[in-house]
Amino acid sequence: MKLVLASKNPKKLGELQEILSGLGVEVLSETEAGVDVEVEETGSTFEENALLKARAVMQASGLPSVADDSGLCVDALGGAPGVYSARYGGPDLDDAGRYRLLLENMRGQLDRRCRFVSAICCCFPNGDKIEARGECAGTLAYAPRGTEGFGYDPVFFLPEEKKTFAQLTAEEKNAISHRGRALAAFCQRLKEYQENK
Ligand code: IMP
């Protein structure tokens, strides 16, 4: 089976190719599938955004397409930045600017509970759909620590590890992260889908 990844991120492509290679699934980039789709992420949930992206690429390519949407939800901020994680604070901020703004907005707040969420959606031309979600709960650190990873990793603290995501190796992070969990669940569902066809 061929599956198109609705993303311009080469890292996500490599990750999905590796996870799905055992299922005999060939993962194509948008370029390899001959499409270039810009989708506005107008959904109010991670699931809606993943569906918008996967459906648009499936319609353009005529092939089953998969997309993910993810972000960090902070309890004391009513779930913000949430679906706006990549755009938090506007277009001029970089990753460090965004997590500094988040720390600033959480100054003095003792309830530091937060979670990373990842939603994956796969749309098939016949109308079938496979969805999967993964979460990883932690607390928002008071100051950044660590140099690995990306995004909000330096301020996402795992109390049981006594480390931030940015202090874990990629392998350690994948084993427990929201994206690792969502991908594992997706892989299982895709396997069942193929078996039942
Ligand atoms: P997406 O690529 O549209 O899903 O954007 C997700 C945004 O959420 C990223 O730009 C990051 O800011 C944040 N994010 C999602 N997953 C992670 C992670 O594993 N570590 C750090 N930040 C993340």
Side-chain angles (χ1 to χ4, degrees):
M1 180 202 283
K2 285 186 179 173
L3 205 63
V4 185
L5 176 65
S7 167
K8 309 274 187 286
N9 184 335
K11 271 194 187 172
K12 286 187 181 176
L13 185 70
E15 191 179 44
L16 197 63
Q17 271 165 343
E18 197 178 312
I19 285 198
L20 297 184
S21 60
L23 297 187
V25 173
E26 189 186 347
V27 186
L28 307 179
S29 66
E30 287 186 34
T31 313
E32 286 165 331
V35 297
D36 181 8
V37 181
E38 280 305 325
V39 183
E40 248 198 287
E41 298 183 20
T42 52
S44 56
T45 64
F46 298 110
E47 279 78 5
E48 277 172 33
N49 281 336
L51 171 62
L52 285 173
K53 291 187 263 188
R55 195 170 49 200
V57 171
M58 180 273 288
Q59 284 167 346
S61 67
L63 291 169
S65 302
V66 61
D68 78 324
D69 195 47
S70 59
L72 178 64
C73 302
V74 179
D75 288 12
L77 299 178
V83 291
Y84 302 104
S85 292
R87 303 165 264 173
Y88 193 51
D92 295 336
L93 293 186
D94 57 8
D95 278 352
R98 279 186 281 276
Y99 71 62
R100 283 199 198 102
L101 173 66
L102 183 58
L103 292 182
E104 188 57 38
N105 290 340
M106 283 287 285
R107 194 201 282 260
Q109 176 57 256
L110 296 179
D111 178 2
R112 317 285 299 181
R113 289 171 298 170
C114 57
R115 66 192 60 245
F116 271 121
V117 178
S118 167
I120 296 178
C121 179
C122 183
C123 290
F124 294 83
N126 67 0
D128 288 348
K129 204 168 74 176
I130 300 178
E131 291 181 302
R133 181 186 174 95
E135 294 195 4
C136 181
T139 62
L140 194 75
Y142 286 90
R145 276 204 335 217
T147 53
E148 299 298 317
F150 70 101
Y152 298 89
D153 281 350
V155 296
F156 184 77
F157 186 73
L158 293 156
E160 62 277 21
E161 306 280 337
K162 296 191 173 60
K163 283 179 179 174
T164 66
F165 258 1
Q167 292 175 299
L168 301 181
T169 63
E171 207 176 21
E172 287 168 338
K173 180 181 162 185
N174 286 341
I176 54 169
S177 78
H178 51 308
R179 190 170 299 100
R181 287 173 176 159
L183 277 171
F186 171 65
C187 188
Q188 180 60 33
R189 273 169 215 162
L190 184 62
K191 191 171 163 220
E192 287 161 9
Y193 180 81
Q194 283 184 311
E195 285 166 359
N196 292 327
K197 252 193 327 165

